[in-house]
Amino acid sequence: MKIAIVGCGNMGMAFAKSFIQYDLVKKDNLLLIEKSADRSEALKNEKAGVVVDTIGPRVGETDLIILSVKPQDFNSVYEALRDVIQPTQIVLSIMAGIPIAQIQEKLGHPLVIRAMPNTPAMLGMGITGFTAAKEVDTTSLRRVENLINATGRSIFLEDESMLDAVTALSGSGPAYFYYVVKAMIDAGKQMGFDDAVSALLVKQTMLGAYHLINTADKSLDELIKAVASKGGTTEAALRAFETGNLAKTLVTGIKAAQTRSTELSKG
């Protein structure tokens, strides 16, 4: 399979490195288009693939084009893509907020898949929601799904509008966890620990809690109850969280992210 990646930032390269790691594409068949001279030179030094700085006829020789430029940069690349794209090529967009119909219109090309990954894809531990135009056949969709799964896991959505919810929940989700971890580390520092000790206590706690969520045969409520003894320290903390409406605030924030994603997709 031959793949072109337009825009080789963190997410574009997360996909590229995963494809190579799992031997889904050879480096000679991976075309990396990066306009930044410094970034382009770094990619050449890494021998990450065939690196070029402009969109040219070679893009039209690939099976799949991955659009991983920033959404605001799409307008600066679509005309060049439209000139070289071939009828059988699949376009996979990981640009946030740009709907399939808009990509189809600007490229003059119907075979578009749209996906929303998250940053843990850089470690092969991402989760990606994706959907496709009706013109994309099942075989092509499964091939692209296999590629996406090299970066972690994926979920297919029939309704494209649900990608706004994916953006809010998992796309932006890592930042929410970082926010909570940061607050917990700050609490540890206020209680007398230095930065390193507080960070170790919190990060290892989060890691262990994650594995319990994945392996314990208990619901989240049961896991909470197992830690929160009646009249104990955990219960005191949970009561304070409830008084401050922490859970409601988190839900409100995530829904605000969904609303903003919808606004961006409408231009």
Side-chain angles (χ1 to χ4, degrees), residues 47-120:
K47 294 181 170 58
V50 180
V51 183
V52 297
D53 58 7
T54 56
I55 296 169
R58 294 179 72 176
V59 175
E61 299 171 2
T62 61
D63 304 295
L64 174 69
I65 301 170
I66 299 178
L67 291 175
S68 60
V69 296
K70 294 177 181 177
Q72 59 268 33
D73 292 337
F74 180 51
N75 284 335
S76 66
V77 302
Y78 78 83
E79 289 183 351
L81 273 174
R82 190 172 58 196
D83 289 341
V84 299
I85 199 166
Q86 299 301 306
T88 59
Q89 286 180 294
I90 301 295
V91 175
L92 170 62
S93 169
I94 57 174
M95 301 181 296
I98 302 183
I100 287 173
Q102 186 176 334
I103 297 169
Q104 289 176 313
E105 179 184 359
K106 292 201 170 185
L107 293 181
H109 186 75
L111 305 180
V112 177
I113 297 172
R114 182 181 166 202
M116 173 49 62
N118 62 5
T119 52

Side-chain angles (χ1 to χ4, degrees), residues 31-43:
L31 184 64
L32 306 176
I33 300 99
E34 176 53 57
K35 68 178 181 179
S36 165
D38 290 343
R39 181 69 175 153
S40 181
E41 188 63 30
L43 292 173

Side-chain angles (χ1 to χ4, degrees), residues 185 187-198 201:
I185 292 172
K189 288 158 61 176
Q190 289 178 31
M191 292 186 291
F193 294 116
D194 63 30
D195 287 5
V197 172
S198 187
L201 286 167

